[in-house]
Amino acid sequence: MAEEFSGKKFSGKTVYNGVTMGKVLVLRKDQEQIRRKRVENPESEIERMQRAAEASKQQLAALYDKAVKEVGESSAAIFEVHQMMLEDEDYLDAICHVIRTEMVNAEYAAAITGDNFAAMFAGMEDEYMQARAADVKDISARLVRNLSGQGSADFSAMEPSVIVADDLSPSETVQMDKKKILAFVTVHGSTNSHTAILARMMNIPALIGVQMDLSEISTGMTAIVDGTAGEVIFEPTEFQCSEAEKKIAGEQEKLRLLQELKGKKNETHDGRTINIYANIGSVSDVGYVLENDAGGIGLFRSEFLYLGREDFPSEEEQFQAYKQVVQMMGQKKVIIRTLDIGADKQADYFGLGKEDNPALGYRAIRICIKQPDIFKTQLRALLRAAVYGNLSIMYPMIISAEEVRQIYAIVAEVEEELKQARIPYRIPEQGIMIETPAAVMISDELAQLVDFFSIGTNDLTQYTLAIDRQNQRLEDFYNPHHKAVLRMIQIVVDNAHKCGKWAGICGELGADMTLTETFVNMGVDELSVAPPMVLKVREKVRAM
Ligand code: PEP
Ligand code: MG
């Protein structure tokens, strides 16, 4: 296989520039392994299933121990529940029954049984039992992974790799150790997805829309990913390797030159300045922020704390995360966005269910207002962490002044509870994201209620142009340079300034250097960009 693949090149759409070379890790979706196959010897399939169940239980026991140490017993309990479910006779008997009667492979039997049990739980009256549907799906998926030799999908054990996949969801990427990712190469995906945003943040090349046949590519192959040329080469020839090495050296030289801008002001020749902050998704990203000399954190996507796990993060866990970030940033501003779950950012334990239009659905602040218990846990953690540094809170997906009032009422309740319990807290600066046309149109009214605006151009473009940002087929139509979007930015900045408030941009457009000059001229006060873009944008501002 490797020989016939030698030097094979595929093109794709660049999400982020840069060149890298390394070993491939192919991530296959569970469904790909679940092909129905006829077997001659069902008893040996049953034995295979029993061995996989045993391995699954051991993994869950290890996960339980790890979680107890990291997040405490109550949050870890879910792993115990999963172990118990894996011992449930009804569930295991049902799998054996499918294998024997239909003479099929164990993967298929486990998957189909998981689906059936999940449907049965979902249809029950009791809310607790309904919530078990996600658990039974989870344990079936684990069983299938173990049956197909994919192990526990434990990303922490992986070598530094070029990740090759059909597509990647935020809950998958969040589980990976970022230091070990050299590049992303996917068949599907969109340049506006959160995986693309992650690649930009990590300064690694990424390609989407690569028309490769994943069954021909295997883990362990070597690949060169050239984000600048928009290509990936598998099993490169010696010549291709030496060309790539030259490009990598050239890039490192450019990076070295940028370092000279550290400590310098973001100031134009005629003395205008703009804040350049950075976007992050986890505590471990603060390193990138400091390395790149950002003036603050303009967007901490807190929902990433909720992804890739089995249950809600506790107040204490969140408090520790927020506190650590503000402490690491010293006096610099840290804007933490409250939970923006939903749409492409899914966590089964929320039990959000399937929606026809998730981007227009039950998400972000809507969940927080409707399920204030979830929101209050986060707010308590934020108010407590605010004592330790320059923390601001930002609310996503706002469409009305009424929502802001509802949020403030919930914040007031949290404040009262903390006061009663004599827990130290501080009410910090509170702002909103402007990412719906509705918010733009009433930004004059909203400006009177909040401390600042941060424009989320990713969603603002999606909702203004009626284009799903995740839809690969619409890439050519998704145009954040559309006059409508740019005019909206101007409206928002003007309305903020009329009220003495500031307005920034934290969507990906903030890092678009063809617009840096336009933004400065519009009076935008802050651009929050992927950390590796900070010095590049600074260079651009200083050249104005
Ligand atoms: C945006 O919509 O521009 C934004 C910054 O938020 P997210 O990309 O996380 O939706
Ligand atoms: Mg958004």
Side-chain angles (χ1 to χ4, degrees), residues 23-28 150 161 164 217-222:
K23 291 281 174 216
V24 166
L25 174 67
V26 184
L27 295 184
R28 299 179 204 283
Q150 283 259 112
S161 309
V164 175
I217 296 162
S218 35
T219 295
M221 281 181 165
T222 300

Side-chain angles (χ1 to χ4, degrees), residues 194 299 301 337 345 433 435 456-459 469 506-507:
H194 284 91
L299 167 64
R301 290 182 162 94
R337 172 172 80 184
K345 289 173 280 197
M433 292 199 62
E435 49 188 347
T457 48
N458 309 334
D459 279 320
R469 67 192 257 198
C506 64

Side-chain angles (χ1 to χ4, degrees), residues 192-194 197 279 299 301 303-304 337 340 343-345 363 394 396-397 433-436 454-463 469 478 505-509 528:
N192 310 297
S193 68
H194 284 91
I197 290 171
N279 296 346
L299 167 64
R301 290 182 162 94
E303 59 277 7
F304 279 82
R337 172 172 80 184
D340 185 16
D344 62 322
K345 289 173 280 197
R363 57 172 293 196
M394 172 158 81
M397 287 293 293
M433 292 199 62
I434 302 283
E435 49 188 347
T436 62
S454 187
I455 306 171
T457 48
N458 309 334
D459 279 320
L460 186 58
T461 306
Q462 152 164 277
Y463 298 126
R469 67 192 257 198
Y478 182 96
I505 297 177
C506 64
E508 295 298 288
L509 199 64
S528 193

Side-chain angles (χ1 to χ4, degrees), residues 51-283:
R51 277 198 302 273
E54 206 41 56
S56 303
K57 275 193 275 175
Q58 280 169 15
Q59 287 158 6
L60 287 163
L63 276 174
Y64 175 78
D65 291 343
K66 185 164 177 265
V68 167
K69 281 193 209 106
E70 289 173 4
V71 294
E73 229 162 275
S74 64
S75 300
I78 190 72
F79 297 119
E80 243 180 358
V81 174
H82 282 197
Q83 283 179 71
M84 271 151 41
M85 287 171 104
L86 266 169
E87 280 161 8
D88 181 79
E89 297 277 319
D90 288 344
Y91 171 70
L92 294 177
D93 285 353
I95 299 178
C96 296
H97 182 75
V98 175
I99 296 176
R100 282 202 187 99
T101 55
E102 299 189 28
M103 304 277 282
V104 287
N105 52 325
E107 286 89 340
Y108 176 78
I112 210 82
T113 308
D115 285 349
N116 290 343
F117 271 62
M120 179 183 81
F121 281 126
M124 288 182 179
E125 292 272 302
D126 186 301
E127 262 185 40
Y128 176 83
M129 293 315 278
Q130 283 173 4
R132 302 284 72 79
D135 295 320
V136 78
K137 272 199 180 158
D138 231 39
I139 58 164
S140 304
R142 180 175 296 279
L143 206 50
V144 171
R145 280 202 298 273
N146 280 310
L147 279 162
S148 53
Q150 283 259 112
S152 60
D154 180 1
F155 295 115
S156 62
M158 78 190 211
E159 293 296 308
S161 309
V162 170
I163 307 290
V164 175
D166 182 61
D167 199 358
L168 289 164
S169 70
S171 64
E172 284 167 319
T173 52
V174 81
Q175 294 182 59
M176 297 175 188
D177 179 350
K178 297 201 189 88
K179 288 188 204 75
K180 295 181 180 163
I181 306 174
L182 300 176
F184 289 119
V185 180
T186 62
V187 180
H188 294 105
S190 104
T191 46
N192 310 297
S193 68
H194 284 91
T195 301
I197 290 171
L198 183 67
R200 286 183 208 117
M201 192 183 72
M202 292 162 59
N203 204 16
I204 57 168
L207 295 178
I208 57 158
V210 180
Q211 294 309 309
M212 54 195 169
D213 180 351
L214 280 187
S215 65
E216 291 184 336
I217 296 162
S218 35
T219 295
M221 281 181 165
T222 300
I224 294 172
V225 185
D226 185 340
T228 315
E231 27 179 70
V232 52
I233 304 171
F234 292 100
E235 300 295 62
T237 61
E238 251 176 59
F239 175 72
Q240 287 167 326
C241 287
S242 74
E243 288 297 295
E245 275 157 12
K246 277 186 226 155
K247 282 192 188 173
I248 293 170
E251 298 217 333
Q252 276 165 351
E253 177 55 14
K254 271 196 225 153
L255 264 182
R256 196 187 61 74
L257 287 174
L258 269 181
Q259 303 305 305
E260 289 169 14
L261 289 177
K262 281 189 183 170
K264 303 240 164 91
K265 285 188 179 163
N266 311 310
E267 191 173 40
T268 64
H269 286 301
D270 59 2
R272 285 176 297 163
T273 59
I274 187 164
N275 287 322
I276 305 179
Y277 290 178
N279 296 346
I280 64 165
S282 72
V283 181

